Amino acid sequence: MVDTMALLLPFIRSGRMTPTAAHPAAPDTDAPHVPDDEVLLDAADPRLAPVLVAVARGEHAPAAGLLGATRAAREWERRDRYAVRLAAFAHSRPEWLHTWRTADPQDPHGLVVETQLAVDRAWRSPARVEALRELSPLITRAARSDDRDPVPWRIALDHARGARAGHKYFEELWEAAVRRAPHHYGCHVAALRYLASWGQDAHRACLDFADRAAQDAPADSFVQALPLRAAFTCLSGPRGVQVEPERLHAAADRAIALSALLGPADPWPAPIRNLLIHVLARLERPAEALEQLRLNGPYATSFPWERESDDPLGRFLQVREEVRTAVAGAARRPQRGHGGHAH
């Protein structure tokens, strides 16, 4: 694992740990509560939603326009998420993508969706390693289609993990990815998952990598949530995994600070907030989890709840109710010897 860290860390400038944020006051338990039947699972943002409606009608031009706009504006995070969502849609309804690729085989936007879809399908194959290795020419073509775009390189990083590529090859991909977008969250998550795939002993290395990346990223970058993702990996691992609890709490604090910079009740940061709610609940910090639920509004996401249940929406609602109950119970318990309410 030391070799793996040496592979990744030279491309992330080291720095001092940022002091953890102060815990906010417990939120009002009477804050607006979204009814269960109004909670939305994996809701698309306002830019993607009409595009999904169009591709459902077989129209690929709006998808090409949306991805083209993200490339022109260098909105790599949005381009990445939109490509993933469009590929997921094409998994069950591929006709519009076939039409698109036939009409314009050189279009880099259609190519990145096609590549994402191919990798997704190969991951589901019983012969995953062989299926992924067969996709190498397609991934190379996508990576060469646009010298600025980090998204094909994120796909390549995921592909390398599934194909069990060695450290040297992964290092070459990582260097190419961060050269194009040093703070691209998707590429960092792919690298983190590659580190985690090297076994139980990798958890500490994952936290080290995530902390260094976050220290170097802007305050409003999603990379600030990378330590949270590493903390989730630790909490979801075998019971034998030993990581200092303060490191997990520090990761949650960093993500809380990021959440405060993002708009409330917005589907765009919902994946970060859903993960934060999960980790805060696991760390027994229900008051802060409730505050994130308030900021999150009606938006549930499949990840991370699908890791615990075949019904991710049901699991989200269950944890939400547990958090509210825990906060209400704490509010009713007086502090010993001081009166008032317990935190």
Side-chain angles (χ1 to χ4, degrees):
M1 181 46 59
V2 173
D3 291 341
T4 308
M5 290 306 299
L7 163 87
L8 293 174
L9 292 182
F11 305 105
I12 301 295
R13 177 168 56 84
S14 62
R16 296 180 61 188
M17 288 293 293
T18 302
T20 58
H23 293 180
D28 181 2
T29 56
D30 293 327
H33 177 65
V34 180
D36 286 2
D37 59 1
E38 294 182 14
V39 175
L40 306 173
L41 181 66
D42 296 328
D45 69 27
R47 295 173 65 181
L48 179 62
V51 171
L52 293 178
V53 173
V55 297
R57 296 195 299 260
E59 303 170 9
H60 64 268
L66 177 63
L67 293 178
T70 60
R71 185 178 68 169
R74 303 179 74 89
E75 296 177 303
W76 304 127
E77 302 292 1
R78 291 187 181 272
R79 180 176 178 81
D80 199 350
R81 188 181 298 182
Y82 294 158
V84 169
R85 291 294 300 271
L86 288 167
F89 192 94
H91 181 73
S92 57
R93 303 182 65 174
E95 297 81 8
W96 62 275
L97 183 57
H98 291 162
T99 301
W100 186 1
R101 302 299 298 130
T102 301
D104 191 355
Q106 304 305 317
D107 187 337
H109 314 307
L111 179 57
V112 76
V113 176
E114 178 187 16
T115 306
Q116 180 67 61
L117 174 60
V119 170
D120 289 346
R121 285 175 169 168
W123 267 96
R124 298 183 179 99
S125 170
R128 174 190 299 171
V129 175
E130 293 76 11
L132 284 168
R133 288 176 178 171
E134 291 175 0
L135 297 178
S136 294
L138 176 63
I139 291 174
T140 299
R141 183 183 169 202
R144 291 176 176 174
S145 66
D146 186 342
D147 192 55
R148 302 176 304 163
D149 186 2
V151 177
W153 296 93
R154 191 273 303 156
I155 298 173
L157 291 169
D158 285 337
H159 170 267
R161 174 170 56 91
R164 299 177 184 172
H167 292 358
K168 186 176 185 302
Y169 178 66
F170 194 90
E171 177 182 0
E172 293 172 355
L173 296 177
W174 171 250
E175 182 178 6
V178 297
R179 186 168 63 245
R180 286 160 174 79
H183 307 302
H184 183 244
Y185 181 62
C187 288
H188 281 79
V189 170
L192 187 70
R193 295 174 75 183
Y194 179 83
L195 282 176
S197 71
W198 288 92
Q200 179 175 331
D201 294 338
H203 289 84
R204 195 179 303 276
C206 287
L207 280 168
D208 291 342
F209 168 66
D211 284 340
R212 289 177 182 265
Q215 289 163 15
D216 197 45
D220 61 349
S221 168
F222 276 15
V223 175
Q224 295 295 335
L226 197 67
L228 181 75
R229 184 77 182 235
F232 170 78
T233 299
C234 296
L235 291 168
S236 302
R239 291 189 177 184
V241 173
Q242 296 295 327
V243 177
E244 299 87 342
E246 55 268 23
R247 296 197 69 182
L248 305 181
H249 286 282
D253 289 340
R254 189 185 286 276
I256 288 172
L258 171 64
S259 177
L261 301 178
L262 305 173
D266 182 350
W268 177 248
I272 299 296
R273 287 188 174 130
N274 273 246
L275 182 58
L276 180 53
I277 292 161
H278 179 282
V279 170
L280 287 170
R282 289 287 300 272
L283 294 177
E284 298 183 356
R285 294 167 61 173
E288 290 150 300
L290 184 60
E291 172 63 10
Q292 293 305 313
L293 282 164
R294 184 188 68 79
L295 290 171
N296 187 59
Y299 301 112
T301 56
S302 291
F303 180 82
W305 314 110
E306 63 189 358
R307 298 292 184 89
E308 299 181 345
S309 172
D310 293 334
D311 178 13
L313 178 57
R315 179 60 180 154
F316 170 84
L317 295 174
Q318 179 185 7
V319 171
R320 186 177 73 156
E321 185 58 32
E322 291 171 355
V323 165
R324 291 179 62 86
T325 300
V327 173
R332 287 193 295 268
R333 290 194 296 269
Q335 284 186 323
R336 293 181 179 178
H338 295 286
H341 294 89
H343 291 288

